[in-house]
Amino acid sequence: MDTLQSREEITEAFRGVLARFSNLVRPLTAEQLATPSRCEGWTVGDVAGHFVGSIAEIAAGDLDGQGTPPVTKRQVEDRRGLTGAELADELDAATIQLGGLLDVLDDNAWNAPAGGGFDGSLGRGVEALLFDGAVHADDIDNELGLDHHPTEAEIV
């Protein structure tokens, strides 16, 4: 196992992070989305757009270049001006697609190379997305002072 936790633990935590992120972003106003974030040069909306874009593209099978500056920039630019609800809706749709995939992965697939230029297994890729979602939710939470903590419904 090259991940820090088991496949089941990572999958459950990843689903929780996706739900938390959606619930965090959905009610954000245009003013909140325009708030500068602690990510240099990015607003809260840019942070949300990057994470939502990553998940949506991965769910659609677009793995090439994920996490690289040009792809990240495109994800942000493509979602600039969307409302919190629109960002959350896109994330929710991608979450359904990814959830189906996560449900059918076996240990062989989990431990296979992720592809798309990611240097690690599929499991390590999911784990990286889990951490990315948690960090970016904290970036948003920190700037807006929302004190948003996941509810049991968001984690399960």
Side-chain angles (χ1 to χ4, degrees):
M1 173 171 74
D2 74 339
T3 56
L4 299 175
Q5 300 175 48
S6 73
R7 177 168 50 100
E8 294 78 15
E9 290 168 323
I10 292 170
T11 299
E12 182 180 345
F14 183 52
R15 290 177 199 273
V17 163
L18 293 173
R20 177 178 183 230
F21 204 93
S22 177
N23 289 335
L24 176 65
V25 171
R26 182 170 298 286
L28 296 182
T29 66
E31 181 180 10
Q32 288 172 312
L33 290 167
T35 301
S37 78
R38 63 184 173 194
C39 299
E40 188 175 337
W42 279 13
T43 65
V44 164
D46 294 340
V47 171
H50 156 60
F51 183 68
V52 170
S54 294
I55 298 302
E57 290 175 7
I58 290 166
D62 184 3
L63 305 179
D64 290 337
Q66 290 298 324
T68 64
V71 170
T72 299
K73 180 180 179 186
R74 179 182 42 74
Q75 291 163 343
V76 168
E77 289 174 355
D78 286 353
R79 287 159 183 85
R80 199 165 276 145
L82 294 182
T83 66
E86 290 168 329
L87 289 164
D89 286 346
E90 183 179 9
L91 181 59
D92 292 347
T95 297
I96 291 168
Q97 288 179 291
L98 283 178
L101 176 62
L102 292 171
D103 289 340
V104 299
L105 291 177
D106 62 14
D107 287 339
N108 289 333
W110 185 257
N111 294 313
F118 181 76
D119 187 26
S121 67
L122 180 58
R124 182 65 85 167
V126 174
E127 189 173 50
L129 290 171
L130 161 63
F131 294 146
D132 198 42
V135 166
H136 287 318
D138 188 63
D139 291 333
I140 293 169
D141 214 0
N142 180 69
E143 289 311 316
L144 299 178
L146 299 174
D147 198 31
H148 180 82
H149 299 286
T151 64
E152 188 172 320
E154 291 174 299
I155 295 171
V156 177

